[in-house]
Amino acid sequence: MIVSEIDIVIQKSNRKTVSIFIERDGSVSARVPEKLSDEEIRDILKAKEYQIFKNLAEWTQLNENAVEREYVNGQSFLYLGRNYRLKLVDEKLDGVQFKRNTFFLSKEDKHKAKELFIKFYKDKLNSKIYPIIERYKNQLGVEPNQVKVMELQNRWASCTPNGNVNFHWKCAMAPIDVLHYIVVHELSHLIHNNHTKAFWNEVDKILPKYDEQVNWLKINGVGMSL
Ligand SMILES: [Zn+2]
């Protein structure tokens, strides 16, 4: 069925409501109660037109950002919020090198490229994160116990009950202002270990425009991968 120029696959089933799904391949399908006529279905979908367009736009954006990266010449990799291309070279290098806005990797290291990229991001984040923590810990009046850059599951940072703060090495892919936000967010958890209004007020006092960074992460977070 075509509604507002969108081809929607109709699946009738024994259900009470109409649900619209954007499938993995970006096609749109609607599950509808079997008793509805085509006319009724069309009216309902037409009324949900805005939602369908919004979901499609989100799907497109997520999928543009979800890049499957290969370790080949010309592939781009995120670093501090920008994409830079990889160049494989014959000479022997010490891991991944970043020079003149280009990543360099020795051809002979291609088989362990992912591991070397992770090391690159870990090293960079280790050198960037401490000055940022120094800057905000006094403003917030907190003292993290131990700070570590590591691999975390499904989150950018975490803190433990005894005040250890961990950052995912992927944070090195984010722009510096987003990195600042991630630090402020996590350090604020040392005051409020939750996401209550009081917690967000703490973040807001330091970074009044933090919603911009939150949005950046929402849109680009999925692309912060290797
Ligand atoms: Zn949090």
Side-chain angles (χ1 to χ4, degrees):
M1 180 182 286
I2 311 276
V3 179
S4 307
E5 292 180 9
I6 300 171
D7 195 358
I8 303 176
V9 177
I10 307 296
Q11 298 166 357
K12 291 192 175 185
S13 67
N14 182 19
R15 62 193 339 269
K16 290 198 172 66
T17 57
V18 172
S19 294
I20 294 156
F21 298 89
I22 309 295
E23 306 293 349
R24 288 182 76 112
D25 61 0
S27 63
V28 183
S29 63
R31 280 157 229 177
V32 303
E34 49 196 355
K35 61 176 178 8
L36 291 185
S37 70
D38 281 0
E39 191 75 62
E40 289 169 314
I41 294 169
R42 189 177 299 277
D43 286 346
I44 293 171
L45 293 178
K46 187 87 188 141
K48 289 179 184 274
E49 177 189 83
Y50 172 77
Q51 187 205 328
I52 298 170
F53 277 114
K54 190 166 164 276
N55 290 348
L56 268 177
E58 277 167 9
W59 182 89
T60 308
Q61 188 141 44
L62 284 175
N63 280 273
E64 270 171 8
N65 295 333
V67 267
E68 190 67 49
R69 290 188 164 87
E70 283 180 278
Y71 301 94
V72 294
N73 269 323
Q75 175 68 67
S76 63
F77 291 85
L78 265 177
Y79 177 44
L80 297 176
R82 291 191 57 190
N83 275 297
Y84 300 100
R85 295 199 183 278
L86 172 64
K87 195 168 162 53
L88 293 168
V89 294
D90 290 322
E91 63 194 277
K92 202 170 159 42
L93 298 174
D94 182 18
V96 169
Q97 303 286 318
F98 182 72
K99 288 181 288 205
R100 302 185 300 275
N101 290 341
T102 306
F103 284 111
F104 292 91
L105 180 71
S106 186
K107 277 179 188 159
E108 65 184 66
D109 287 337
K110 215 185 148 196
H111 65 286
K112 51 176 180 176
K114 184 171 182 172
E115 189 188 314
L116 293 174
F117 261 97
I118 291 174
K119 187 180 182 305
F120 170 85
Y121 288 120
K122 275 187 179 165
D123 289 349
K124 291 296 176 187
L125 192 61
N126 263 312
S127 72
K128 307 241 173 254
I129 206 105
Y130 291 95
I132 302 175
I133 291 170
E134 280 306 309
R135 170 170 169 178
Y136 293 114
K137 71 175 195 186
N138 295 331
Q139 269 180 272
L140 284 158
V142 295
E143 188 62 63
N145 191 17
Q146 200 182 52
V147 175
K148 262 194 212 153
V149 171
M150 59 198 287
E151 172 111 22
L152 293 167
Q153 294 212 322
N154 303 321
R155 52 218 297 208
W156 309 121
S158 68
C159 62
T160 66
N162 57 351
N164 292 345
V165 184
N166 303 314
F167 294 93
H168 200 302
W169 52 262
K170 284 182 182 177
C171 292
M173 294 181 174
I176 203 80
D177 62 327
V178 173
L179 199 50
H180 280 239
Y181 159 72
I182 294 171
V183 168
V184 169
H185 181 120
E186 228 45 49
L187 292 183
S188 298
H189 275 319
L190 297 177
I191 307 171
H192 303 282
N193 197 15
N194 49 43
H195 290 116
T196 55
K197 205 164 184 316
F199 165 82
W200 289 110
N201 279 341
E202 212 66 59
V203 176
D204 185 67
K205 265 192 264 171
I206 311 274
L207 302 171
K209 294 210 281 184
Y210 72 88
D211 59 320
E212 288 174 13
Q213 285 86 52
V214 171
N215 279 330
W216 191 93
L217 281 170
K218 258 190 208 150
I219 295 166
N220 299 281
V222 65
M224 287 165 67
S225 61
L226 279 178

